[in-house]
Amino acid sequence: MPTEAPARRSYDAPAGVLDLTLEPERLSVGMVNAICNWRLLLRNAGDTHVVGLRVASDLAAAHATLGEREQLGGPGAGARIDTVSLLAPGQEVSLKGEWTLPLSEARVVFVAERATILPLARLRIVGAGIAPQRIAILIGVPAEEGGRVHPIDLESTRTVFRKLAARRIERALD
């Protein structure tokens, strides 16, 4: 699995810099779906306007048996699309939404003989004033050591997880 880093990063582009933070707010696990409510903060840290910003996003599940391109190459065809018409230098905008991950599509990871999943938010960001970016961010239960995240336990009696962490995967594909 590629290396993890904090979900807050600045991404340099030839004409500007886009700073983003993904905040997973709530993840609920039902019989059929896992649903993640989130907030994405975008800030133009550059000195030029970003025009026609489009953020395509979806939620998948990370798994060691899947290829890097399959996991990190998203978002897929049914992606959610958010748009920001103009982001001036220094301006920040907040996007909110919900992703649904059908559990039938999630590959289960067994940890200490318990079924778990590791949700993977996949973003593709394009706009005039920045280079196109593809970003993958793991979402899970915060770990105490090293800022890593633990998978979501599907066998837990808890079905709603409110204390979540997000960690960017360094090798997202362009």
Side-chain angles (χ1 to χ4, degrees):
M1 179 66 79
T3 357
E4 298 173 15
R8 181 174 183 90
R9 285 286 299 254
S10 291
Y11 302 96
D12 293 325
V17 178
L18 186 65
D19 186 44
L20 70 84
T21 303
L22 175 66
E23 298 174 355
E25 296 178 336
R26 178 180 185 267
L27 187 114
S28 61
V29 180
M31 296 295 290
V32 178
N33 295 316
I35 299 171
C36 182
N37 299 91
W38 52 268
R39 183 167 75 131
L40 181 66
L41 300 171
L42 298 166
R43 186 177 66 84
N44 182 350
D47 55 6
T48 61
H49 287 75
V50 177
V51 179
L53 188 64
R54 290 177 45 93
V55 180
S57 63
D58 70 3
L59 190 65
H63 197 275
T65 63
L66 297 174
E68 196 170 284
R69 183 160 297 283
E70 187 175 356
Q71 290 185 83
L72 307 181
R80 172 191 171 93
I81 307 289
D82 290 285
T83 60
V84 177
S85 58
L86 179 68
L87 198 58
Q91 184 181 4
E92 183 173 280
V93 67
S94 175
L95 305 174
K96 291 184 91 155
E98 178 179 283
W99 293 309
T100 300
L101 172 62
L103 293 177
S104 62
E105 296 176 14
R107 300 224 180 157
V108 173
V109 176
F110 286 92
V111 176
E113 299 183 15
R114 295 185 65 85
T116 67
I117 59 169
L118 192 53
L120 179 66
R122 302 179 306 174
L123 309 166
R124 174 127 175 98
I125 302 171
V126 296
I130 60 167
Q133 301 163 39
R134 191 169 284 148
I135 302 160
I137 301 171
L138 293 170
I139 297 171
V141 178
E144 292 178 20
E145 74 289 340
R148 299 177 74 76
V149 298
H150 291 296
I152 302 297
D153 186 348
L154 296 176
E155 297 179 30
S156 172
T157 56
R158 181 171 54 167
T159 59
V160 177
F161 297 83
R162 293 189 187 277
K163 187 175 181 184
L164 297 166
R167 294 291 171 245
R168 183 177 179 268
I169 295 178
E170 282 298 321
R171 292 176 25 193
L173 305 174
D174 292 322

